[in-house]
Amino acid sequence: MITSANRIYGTDGGNATMDRVFLLDEAEAERYKNVLRSEHNQKAWWLRTPGKTKDSAAFVSAEGTVMSYGYAADSGELAVRPAIWVRTADDE
């Protein structure tokens, strides 16, 4: 899995990984925002994209906006929404 650089600040996304469970990046959060939006979602959540600095990570606000500048990556104030890719019989 490749994590792209931050789309606004250019912060490097780091090395490619082989994760089975992962966080969405900025582009995926934008692509699936209508699916992910929920009246019950009242908490901001992390993305895997780095924020403005290497010690921050981009996130999605409780209102559903991708926040590219990020938040301190060691904060416990944001939720985690893990993702997985699921293959169907049609994919094979």
Side-chain angles (χ1 to χ4, degrees):
M1 174 166 296
I2 296 173
T3 298
S4 300
N6 183 295
R7 64 184 173 168
I8 295 175
Y9 301 103
T11 312
D12 183 34
N15 297 332
T17 63
M18 297 292 292
D19 302 326
R20 295 188 186 267
V21 178
F22 56 93
L23 300 179
L24 298 179
D25 65 16
E26 287 177 307
E28 292 162 336
E30 287 289 345
R31 185 178 313 129
Y32 302 115
K33 69 181 172 185
N34 292 334
V35 174
L36 297 169
R37 189 167 288 141
S38 168
E39 293 177 20
H40 305 291
N41 178 32
Q42 300 298 316
K43 185 123 175 127
W45 47 279
W46 293 112
L47 297 173
R48 75 173 184 270
T49 305
K52 184 176 181 179
T53 61
K54 288 246 181 213
D55 62 348
S56 65
F59 66 97
V60 176
S61 72
E63 294 79 27
T65 303
V66 172
M67 308 303 274
S68 296
Y69 62 83
Y71 200 74
D74 62 354
S75 172
E77 295 183 32
L78 279 72
V80 175
R81 288 179 120 182
I84 61 172
W85 293 116
V86 177
R87 280 191 165 191
T88 65
D90 296 335
D91 293 336
E92 297 178 4

